[in-house]
Amino acid sequence: MLAGIVIGFAPGILLWLVPRLTGATGPTALRTWLSTISIALLPFFYVYALYKHKLGALEMRANRALSFYSFLVLYATGVMLIFVTMNRWIQLDSNALTFSLLASIVSLILALASWGPYRRLVNLIAYGNSYEPSEVVQMFANEVPRALDREKLGQLINYRVMTSLLVRQSALVQMTDPTPSLLYARGIDLDLSEWTPEELEGLLEHAGKYIPPDPHPDPKQQWIRLVIPIRVDERLLGIWLLGGKEPDDFYPQHDIDVLTTLANQIGVTLETIRLFSTLRTRASQLEQAYLELRRSDRLKDEFIRNISHELRTPLTAVLGYSELLQVGEGGEVTPEQEEMLQIVIDHTKAVINQVNSIIGMQMAKSAQIEKSPVNLAEVARASMQEAQILAQRQRNPEDPPLEFVFESPEDLPMVLANRPQMNQVFDNLLSNAVKFSPDGGTIRVQLRVTRHTLHVYTEDLSRTMLEEKPVVEVCIQDQGIGIPPEELERIWDQFYQVDGSATRRFGGTGLGLALARDIVETHGGKIWVESEVMEGSAFYFVLPIPEAEEQTVVDVEPQSTQEASEPEKTPVNKPQPSA
Ligand code: ADP
């Protein structure tokens, strides 16, 4: 209002006073015209000051129009005064055209330069602040990456944003689950326990609109002048409440626009904070669970190792004494007793095998296993003979026997391996083949030289890379029950069995394949299976041929092994007991 009086009368007074003081004469018509239009500013300012609270969205436009109008009047007055004063010394006739032109250009440039500061001055007078909306939004956008927790965000809004906007009272209620919480409160004592969720959500009725200070039925809401919802993806994350503000508690439209833009940024930040904290909590829970898992894994390993060693000693004694009894060392043995003793011996051997598998599991990953050149064909043949004996003993003599076929090139190159462990791999794969084969089925053991892509260590042993290497490939094929496709990955897990139920048809511990894989992989090889349900399974493993042996096989093509060297083919139906 005061500004309106000053701007309304100042041009007239100045244009009357200055020519008199300087003794200059000016264009009277222009002077009268300027004084008239500046006087009109007075009622405009008066109406604006009285009704700005009620203008709503028009308020900002009215403010802009008034600012622009008053700027034109004041600026024209200024230019006029300069001309009037200069008129004393310079005759403004057609000869002074150059001066007029120059003066016009300069005044235009000055007009453009002074419009910004003038508008700030008007805002300062009208709203009591001198910020530009873009400045607060920009400041917030720059600061927010350093405020990625609730406390810091609350401080940023409270001490930077609210201070810049001259807001005295405000609070941000976060709609946290299960009860809302306060992100910050400024200039008011907001006790959320006094608010029901319905009351809070009810405030959104007035969202985005200035609320005049009419006496409100609910005293705890009387301070609120503006409510801005904070939403992300249509989810209500918070309610921003704004109250008293300098100079007159009024929120013009451009403040509402700025606050709405800020609310959007606050929403995104709150969501980021939530995701961050969920992620951190999950990560620490996972770490905790991992440590726990490692601890129990270590305990399990220790337990298995101890129990296995404890079991092996008495089992070896049982086996030894049973064998002594069987050969008559403890007195004469009847044929029935011998048969019974054989059953005891077979079962004891089976248990010892399982215990050995468990111990082998612990040893397989040990780097200190001794390796020497091994002919896998020899190991395979010996293991196969054992399997044949096992099959014969396990099965009814009246049922059609299993057929075993052995194929291997005679000049199979050696691989660098630990022989007992290789034995173990063949034993495990063959005992499965025997176990899961139907009566009269064929078990085929094939060895050949081929090339295969394997992980090999770089020279400095710092990492592994894939390289195609000559390998000995072993395939143990049966015509048994096969493995369903969805189980093909899991059968390699320790203690996993496709049929793990107590009523299962086939015995076992679920350790054989896990052990075979560990052994093959610690030898730098690879193991896999191809299987069809009710058709049979083919377990493959490859071991790299050491470089010293490589020259004999460098030209071998993956599919041409059979032609390159005629394999030895041995169908064996009548197994020979091992020595
Ligand atoms: P186990 O034989 O002691 O149960 P393994 O680790 O040797 O344990 O085998 C895991 C599971 O894989 C077996 O229980 C079986 O379900 C499946 N499996 C292994 N070999 C064969 C095979 N030749 N034919 C069908 N299923 C097999």
Side-chain angles (χ1 to χ4, degrees), residues 363-546:
M363 307 280 289
K365 287 189 173 136
S366 149
Q368 289 128 22
I369 49 162
E370 264 178 37
K371 290 182 188 166
S372 57
V374 173
N375 185 334
L376 284 182
E378 272 173 26
V379 185
R381 194 193 289 278
S383 202
M384 199 179 74
Q385 281 175 351
E386 287 274 337
Q388 280 177 283
I389 297 167
L390 185 79
Q392 235 184 14
R393 288 220 190 102
Q394 278 179 351
R395 286 167 186 257
N396 202 332
E398 280 98 61
D399 291 336
L402 294 180
E403 188 187 346
F404 283 82
V405 178
F406 181 81
E407 289 173 29
S408 168
E410 269 180 30
D411 54 350
L412 190 78
M414 303 278 205
V415 293
L416 207 58
N418 179 281
R419 195 178 170 110
Q421 287 198 337
M422 286 299 114
N423 245 328
Q424 183 90 58
V425 175
F426 278 104
D427 282 353
N428 291 1
L429 296 180
L430 278 164
S431 65
N432 279 346
V434 167
K435 189 159 64 177
F436 296 107
S437 280
D439 293 329
T442 303
I443 294 176
R444 205 173 277 277
V445 179
Q446 290 167 302
L447 290 98
R448 63 172 183 147
V449 174
T450 182
R451 297 185 82 83
H452 199 93
T453 309
L454 292 174
H455 281 278
V456 290
Y457 275 101
T458 51
E459 263 180 27
D460 60 354
L461 300 178
S462 62
R463 60 193 171 85
T464 58
M465 56 178 189
L466 286 172
E467 200 177 296
E468 206 191 62
K469 302 277 288 173
V471 291
V472 171
E473 182 191 86
V474 179
C475 170
I476 295 171
Q477 194 180 19
D478 63 57
Q479 297 170 328
I481 59 167
I483 303 160
E486 67 278 8
E487 303 282 352
L488 287 177
E489 285 293 315
R490 303 190 60 190
I491 54 166
W492 304 99
D493 294 347
Q494 285 182 29
F495 304 109
Y496 187 78
Q497 297 183 300
V498 173
D499 179 6
S501 65
T503 54
R504 64 186 189 268
R505 251 172 74 207
F506 307 101
T509 55
L511 274 176
L513 292 182
L515 178 57
R517 187 188 56 183
D518 279 355
I519 293 175
V520 170
E521 286 179 357
T522 39
H523 280 77
K526 202 169 152 188
I527 189 165
W528 71 98
V529 61
E530 287 166 11
S531 185
E532 286 276 332
V533 175
M534 296 324 288
E535 295 278 313
S537 313
F539 282 84
Y540 293 87
F541 72 89
V542 291
L543 290 181
I545 296 169

Side-chain angles (χ1 to χ4, degrees), residues 315-372:
L315 281 171
T316 318
V318 172
L319 181 67
Y321 281 108
S322 306
E323 282 173 342
L324 283 177
L325 280 178
Q326 200 189 30
V327 295
E329 287 286 317
E332 210 173 312
V333 184
T334 66
E336 287 97 66
Q337 285 170 333
E338 197 189 325
E339 209 174 301
M340 285 176 191
L341 279 169
Q342 188 56 53
I343 296 173
V344 174
I345 291 170
D346 285 349
H347 280 88
T348 315
K349 275 188 181 164
V351 181
I352 291 178
N353 268 345
Q354 301 293 5
V355 172
N356 282 345
S357 299
I358 294 170
I359 295 171
M361 211 65 220
Q362 313 291 322
M363 307 280 289
K365 287 189 173 136
S366 149
Q368 289 128 22
I369 49 162
E370 264 178 37
K371 290 182 188 166
S372 57

Side-chain angles (χ1 to χ4, degrees), residues 1-9 38-55 62 66 69-70:
M1 196 52 236
L2 196 67
I5 295 171
V6 173
I7 299 171
F9 288 113
S38 62
I39 290 275
L41 273 169
L42 189 59
F44 288 160
F45 268 106
Y46 186 72
V47 171
Y48 173 74
L50 271 189
Y51 293 104
K52 79 171 178 175
H53 295 200
K54 299 200 172 109
L55 285 175
L66 220 50
Y69 187 178
S70 58

Side-chain angles (χ1 to χ4, degrees), residues 92-113:
L92 289 180
D93 53 19
S94 53
N95 297 336
L97 205 67
T98 326
F99 169 77
S100 311
L101 208 67
L102 261 173
S104 308
I105 292 169
V106 171
S107 49
L108 199 71
I109 293 169
L110 282 177
L112 290 176

Side-chain angles (χ1 to χ4, degrees), residues 13-297:
I13 296 171
L14 285 171
L15 288 173
W16 177 78
L17 206 63
V18 172
R20 282 196 171 49
L21 289 178
T22 55
T25 53
T28 333
L30 206 59
R31 219 172 54 199
T32 323
W33 185 75
L34 257 177
S35 310
T36 318
I37 59 165
S38 62
I39 290 275
L41 273 169
L42 189 59
F44 288 160
F45 268 106
Y46 186 72
V47 171
Y48 173 74
L50 271 189
Y51 293 104
K52 79 171 178 175
H53 295 200
K54 299 200 172 109
L55 285 175
L58 284 178
E59 186 276 340
M60 196 164 99
R61 283 183 205 143
N63 174 291
R64 282 277 159 92
L66 220 50
S67 311
F68 193 62
Y69 187 178
S70 58
F71 177 73
L72 278 183
V73 170
L74 286 179
Y75 197 78
T77 311
V79 173
M80 182 73 110
L81 282 177
I82 293 169
F83 271 85
V84 168
T85 321
M86 296 301 264
N87 202 19
R88 187 138 148 54
W89 299 287
I90 302 166
Q91 273 307 308
L92 289 180
D93 53 19
S94 53
N95 297 336
L97 205 67
T98 326
F99 169 77
S100 311
L101 208 67
L102 261 173
S104 308
I105 292 169
V106 171
S107 49
L108 199 71
I109 293 169
L110 282 177
L112 290 176
S114 50
W115 166 237
Y118 179 77
R119 241 177 52 74
R120 278 170 188 245
L121 185 72
V122 172
N123 280 343
L124 185 69
I125 296 165
Y127 310 125
N129 60 25
S130 59
Y131 71 93
E132 277 293 309
S134 59
E135 283 171 8
V136 179
V137 175
Q138 199 184 353
M139 177 274 288
F140 184 78
N142 287 336
E143 294 290 323
V144 84
R146 284 182 288 280
L148 284 184
D149 68 49
R150 288 184 77 226
E151 199 186 328
K152 285 186 187 153
L153 180 68
Q155 283 172 357
L156 173 65
I157 304 172
N158 191 354
Y159 299 119
R160 301 292 306 274
V161 178
M162 293 295 95
T163 316
S164 305
L165 297 177
L166 299 177
V167 177
R168 287 194 317 274
Q169 296 170 308
S170 77
L172 204 158
V173 182
Q174 218 184 326
M175 302 308 272
T176 38
D177 204 26
T179 46
S181 58
L182 208 57
L183 190 81
Y184 80 90
R186 174 188 177 86
I188 40 128
D189 195 10
L190 192 71
D191 183 1
L192 282 184
S193 60
E194 292 174 1
W195 292 72
T196 63
E198 293 72 39
E199 275 176 328
L200 281 171
E201 301 212 358
L203 290 172
L204 294 175
E205 246 178 71
H206 316 281
K209 279 179 265 160
Y210 169 69
I211 307 166
D214 293 335
H216 200 280
D218 187 349
K220 63 179 187 279
Q221 296 188 22
Q222 275 172 3
W223 65 276
I224 302 168
R225 298 269 94 52
L226 183 67
V227 177
I228 296 190
I230 296 191
R231 290 183 207 275
V232 167
D233 207 13
E234 294 308 312
R235 261 180 318 120
L236 184 69
L237 297 190
I239 301 176
W240 202 2
L241 306 172
L242 297 123
K245 174 185 181 299
E246 301 306 337
D248 52 8
D249 297 352
F250 176 62
Y251 285 82
Q253 188 57 39
H254 84 299
D255 273 10
I256 297 176
D257 292 344
V258 172
L259 288 163
T260 309
T261 310
L262 287 169
N264 291 338
Q265 296 192 7
I266 293 171
V268 175
T269 314
L270 283 176
E271 191 62 356
T272 314
I273 291 173
R274 190 184 65 81
L275 290 175
F276 255 33
S277 90
T278 320
L279 215 68
R280 259 190 233 130
T281 322
R282 288 274 154 81
S284 87
Q285 280 170 347
L286 270 176
E287 198 183 321
Q288 217 33 50
Y290 174 70
L291 290 177
E292 194 56 40
L293 213 68
R294 266 184 45 182
R295 208 176 71 86
S296 25
D297 207 42

